[in-house]
Amino acid sequence: GKRQDIAWAVPMVAPLASEILLASNVIINVTVPAAVAAAMGLLTPEEAGKIAQRAGFVSSGIPGSNVNAEAAAKLALEVMRAP
């Protein structure tokens, strides 16, 4: 390439850039469906997070995406149960 002086950094930066670029997909692909399923009473937050992570077409390979989805699902469930 044109910048051999910084070529060494590409392998270290690529995973970080990938994570930033996929962050919005995780929200749409995993977090929102899990929160909606839990809020509708179809699944527990734990089940919703696991299923949403497996079903997320683009972001299913991101480890730990079910953790944030589960947290959002629990919050959605609390909001729905609030008076």
Side-chain angles (χ1 to χ4, degrees), residues 39-79:
M40 292 177 65
L42 300 174
L43 299 166
T44 66
E46 293 80 13
E47 293 170 331
K50 289 178 185 172
I51 291 171
Q53 182 183 20
R54 287 194 310 261
F57 178 71
V58 173
S59 54
S60 62
I62 299 174
S65 59
N66 67 315
V67 174
N68 291 333
E70 184 180 326
K74 286 179 181 177
L75 181 60
L77 199 54
E78 288 178 25
V79 168

Side-chain angles (χ1 to χ4, degrees), residues 1 3-11:
R3 297 290 312 265
Q4 291 300 321
D5 58 323
I6 58 170
W8 61 270
V10 172

